[in-house]
Structures are given as structure tokens and as C-alpha cells.
Amino acid sequence: MDLPRHAAYEAVAAVNRDDAYANLVLPVILREQGLIGRDAAFATELTYGTLRHLGTLDAILTSAAGRDVQRIDPPVRDALRLGAYQLLHTRVPAHAAVSSTVDLVRTVGPGATGFANAVLREVAGQDLDGWVSRLAPSPETDPIGHLALAHSHPQWIVRAFSEALGGDLGETTRLLIEDNVRPPVHLCARPGLADPVELADEAGGAPGAFSPYAVYLGGGSPGDLAAVADGRAHVQDEGSQLVATALAVAPVDGPDGRWLDLCAGPGGKSALLGAIAAQRGARLTAVEVAEHRARLVEKATQGLPVTVLHTDGRLVGSEAKLPEEHFDRVLVDAPCTGLGSLRRRPESRWRRQPSDLPALTRLQRELLAAGLRALRPGGVLAYVTCSPHTVETHVSVTEAARRSGTAVDFVDARPLLPAGMPGLGDGPTVQLWPHRHGTDAMFLALLRRT
């Protein structure tokens, strides 16, 4: 048995069959099968690459098979996806990709080896550009449809990205390309506990481009680093570090000792804010409604001046430990579609639907209204989403502020980010982008209660 390919098959099958998450199931599979080094790297590339390019692969397999890919037996379908990915996106020789995939089908769908062989040979008859030219809509008459198939994103997501980028299809294309590249792991050197330059040397990485706490990890498992194990650092995208730091450095009028993270799980931003708070004699209250995520926040913030509350952040004013007009700084890192982190969660682009938006935006506005109630006059609130969708960003924050009945002013967030950052727009809000900044597509709005 070809163990790397079989491991990738098991991971892809778990994602598609059980709604599992690749970043959770793949490490377990690799460990169980004893895969390390190049074999583990190959299995990881096959898994993540296949999941990222699923839409385009399925369109090609539908054409090559002469039937809708959804009508193919699921185990055979997942094996064919892995084979097509190797043929179209890797330097694996065509004969090796075909024969190894047929061998895999012989294990998971024994009666379909001849069918698999025929389909894969048809796929191998053209390169990726040839298939895209054959199957994608015309870029002149249907540019969104063309980009969606060419770069393997659902059309509604491509449209949302294009709208957020002002309709610039060239920049939208660059974003889609970047979305399909696996990003480096970013570490956060906790202020007061780790120096980023020293951490970079220790981890074999490099200091980040923008966040004063960021380290780009060159390779390996971050969980094996002593700094992560002993709580001096944690894994966190540089964009998340930047939006949390912007809240921490925004000027407030009056006292500055009571901070609030209203949607704290799994705890990365709470850990960074808690470390900064420790240097200033402040204390952070971290609220998380889900019990298992509250436990993650407790673990992430151990040893820091952080109090974790397992409750609903919308209960500000009716929960004794969440009084109104009490906190100097408030973070509302609202639940969202997660369209800004598709590089890191390859399966999520195929799971999210436009129908998810109404419930999410309602929750976002309710949480933001609660955050504004918790904020004292003169204090500052950061509204953050890991999504560039305008309904979740500008629409949610402006509507919530308008309906809250609380007098607020928008604070220009751009000066609160590191000098020299390109492409921050016209303000007062900021949208970070993978193709501009190398971060997840984090949105930040800062509001001061007047």
C-alpha cells in the first residue's frame, strides 16, 4: 500500500464523508500510520491541495467521466479527486499518478478499477489550462464564473471578494491565487514573555513583516517548540495579531485597567491582549459561550491576568460580571463565515453558503450592540471579523452602531497599524488581505463611545 496516498485519501474521505476538518484529522492519521518527513509532507500536500481545488477537480472529473461526479461512488470519487490533483497540480509523472490511484481504487472500490483508469487517462489528456479553457465560462461574458472555475472558489465567494475589492477583477484574481497557496505558520511572541527576534532564531523562522510580535515559522510542527509548550508564544495569524494590537494601542480617555474580549474562543487574541494587559497593570475579562472553547481560552491564557467567563456575551447588563458602561477596551471578534481564512481551512469554502449570512449577521449585530453597552464613555471598541464580505463588515458595523442607541464615533484604524503597511484603503476601517499583506483577510473597525 502507498501509505502517503492512502493517508491523504483517508483525510479527504473524512472531510467529505463526516464533515471533519483536515487540520484535525490529518495529524492523527499521519501519526497512526507513522508517516514523517517527506512522506508526511506529500500526504499533506495531496490532502490540502485536493480540498482547495475540489470545485475545479469535480468539474473536470464530471467531463472526463461523462457523468456528474456526484453520481460516482463516494470512495471512488475521493480517490479520483486525489489522482486528478496529482495529474494537474503536481510534478508526479502521469503514469505514476494513474497507476497509484487505480491501486487505491482497487482497495476502496474494487469493482471500479477499469472505470478509474479510463477517467484518469482522459484527465491526463490535457493540462489544467486546457481543461479550464474547455470548461470555464468566457471571461468576457461571465468573468465571475470564469474565475470561480479557474481558481476553484464558489461563485458567490468570488463575487463577494470582487465587491469588497471595488470590482477590480485583476486584484480579485490575485487574491484567489493567493487563497490557493498554503500559508506559512505564524507565531505570536507574547509581549513580556518572549522576544520575537530570539524566538525566530529558536524556531528557525524569521520575524514578521508587520506585527511587532510575529514570527514566520519556516517548517516543522509548532507544537514541538519549547516556547509554545511553555506559554511564551502561540500560533496566531499575523492579521489577528495586528487587529488585537490596534485595540491595545488606541488612545482612550480616562482609566485603562478593565478590558473585555466578548467572543474569546479559542483564545489567541485573549492571550495576546492578556500579555499586553500584564505589562500595563490591566486585567482582561474573556467571555466564551461554548464550554469547550471556554476551556481552550483558560488554557491559552494560563498565568496571565485574564478572567474567563463561560456565558453569552449578549448578556451584558443582565450578567453580574458584565455590567454596562464598565470596560475601557472591548474586543468583539464576531463569529463569521471565515471567508478570510480559506487558505488555512481548505474545506470551508465548499461548506459555507450564502444562506449562512442572515443568522451570522444578526448575531454579529447583537454582539456588537452588547459590546457597546459594556463600553464606558471614552473607551474604545474593536469590531473584528475574519471575513471581507461587506455584509459582515461595513454593513454589520454601521447598522449595529446606528441601532444601538449609543453615541459612538468611528476611529481611523490606519494610524494604529504599523507604519508602511500598504493597501489600507481610505479608512476609517481597515481590511487586511492575503495578497496585499500576507495575512488572513481580517476586517477591523474601531469605535469610541462618546
Side-chain angles (χ1 to χ4, degrees):
M1 183 182 295
D2 186 320
L3 289 179
R5 288 181 171 88
H6 195 268
Y9 166 79
E10 287 191 3
V12 169
V15 168
N16 293 323
R17 180 189 63 234
D18 306 327
D19 286 339
Y21 293 93
N23 66 314
L24 299 180
V25 298
L26 181 60
V28 175
I29 293 169
L30 296 178
R31 186 167 57 250
E32 289 177 346
Q33 298 196 6
L35 294 177
I36 59 173
R38 294 179 63 181
D39 285 345
F42 183 52
T44 301
E45 162 65 12
L46 291 184
T47 299
Y48 279 82
T50 299
L51 294 172
R52 283 194 185 95
H53 294 279
L54 203 61
T56 304
L57 295 175
D58 280 2
I60 293 169
L61 287 170
T62 292
S63 177
R67 70 177 79 165
D68 192 303
V69 74
Q70 299 303 321
R71 293 175 53 206
I72 300 173
D73 188 45
V76 177
R77 181 172 65 223
D78 286 333
L80 288 174
R81 287 164 166 167
L82 285 163
Y85 177 77
Q86 292 172 69
L87 287 168
L88 300 171
H89 289 277
T90 74
R91 289 181 287 184
V92 174
H95 67 87
V98 172
S99 63
S100 62
T101 304
V102 170
D103 287 343
L104 179 60
V105 169
R106 188 172 288 113
T107 302
V108 302
T113 54
F115 169 73
N117 184 70
V119 170
L120 291 171
R121 290 187 180 279
E122 180 71 17
V123 171
Q126 297 184 78
D127 62 11
L128 180 61
D129 289 341
W131 279 110
V132 169
S133 296
R134 176 175 165 183
L135 299 178
S138 165
E140 285 75 28
T141 59
D142 185 4
I144 297 298
H146 180 86
L147 289 175
L149 192 137
H151 300 288
S152 203
H153 283 67
Q155 286 196 31
W156 75 274
I157 293 180
V158 177
R159 189 171 294 108
F161 286 171
S162 176
E163 290 173 357
L165 288 165
D168 187 328
L169 293 178
E171 192 170 11
T172 302
T173 301
R174 292 194 292 275
L175 169 59
L176 297 174
I177 291 170
E178 191 66 27
D179 247 1
N180 286 331
V181 177
R182 191 177 189 189
V185 174
H186 294 173
L187 300 178
C188 175
R190 295 185 179 181
L193 298 174
D195 177 88
V197 175
E198 294 176 359
L199 178 61
D201 290 340
E202 178 183 335
F210 302 115
S211 167
Y213 313 118
V215 171
Y216 301 160
L217 190 60
S221 172
D224 295 336
L225 295 173
V228 173
D230 62 25
R232 291 181 289 123
H234 60 270
V235 176
Q236 185 177 42
D237 179 76
E238 189 174 18
S240 293
Q241 298 175 39
L242 289 167
V243 296
T245 303
L247 172 62
V249 301
V252 299
D253 302 326
D256 191 17
R258 297 178 298 206
W259 300 3
L260 173 66
D261 184 350
L262 204 60
C263 318
K269 295 183 184 70
S270 290
L272 175 53
L273 288 173
I276 297 173
Q279 295 183 305
R280 299 196 202 165
R283 186 164 194 90
L284 176 73
T285 299
V287 179
E288 175 51 50
V289 67
E291 184 177 0
H292 72 285
R293 287 168 66 87
R295 289 196 297 269
L296 291 175
V297 179
E298 289 176 346
K299 182 178 180 180
T301 59
Q302 189 172 5
L304 298 172
V306 177
T307 300
V308 179
L309 298 182
H310 171 214
T311 189
D312 191 326
R314 292 171 291 183
L315 296 177
V316 169
S318 58
E319 167 71 54
K321 294 182 180 180
L322 291 176
E324 295 187 4
E325 299 188 12
H326 179 75
F327 294 94
D328 309 307
R329 300 181 189 271
V330 176
L331 172 63
V332 180
D333 182 16
C336 66
T337 55
L339 301 186
S341 59
L342 298 183
R343 304 178 305 162
R344 302 185 187 280
R345 297 176 176 86
E347 63 283 321
S348 61
R349 71 183 71 178
W350 311 114
R351 291 182 179 170
R352 282 299 189 189
Q353 301 294 330
S355 57
D356 297 334
L357 284 165
L360 282 170
T361 54
R362 183 168 58 250
L363 177 59
Q364 290 158 7
R365 296 170 194 185
E366 290 172 353
L367 287 165
L368 182 49
L372 290 172
R373 294 198 306 272
L375 186 67
R376 65 161 179 82
V380 175
L381 177 147
Y383 173 74
V384 170
T385 63
C386 188
S387 170
H389 199 301
T390 54
V391 172
E392 299 188 271
T393 57
H394 296 284
V395 175
S396 275
V397 71
T398 54
E399 280 297 297
R402 183 179 66 83
R403 296 179 183 180
S404 70
T406 303
V408 296
D409 289 332
F410 278 83
V411 177
D412 192 344
R414 294 171 299 169
L416 302 172
L417 295 173
M421 282 195 73
L424 294 182
D426 299 326
T429 63
V430 164
Q431 179 67 63
L432 302 178
W433 294 102
H435 66 292
R436 289 184 187 175
H437 310 108
T439 69
D440 290 347
M442 304 295 298
F443 172 82
L444 168 66
L446 289 170
L447 299 93
R448 176 174 285 107
R449 183 162 177 176
T450 57

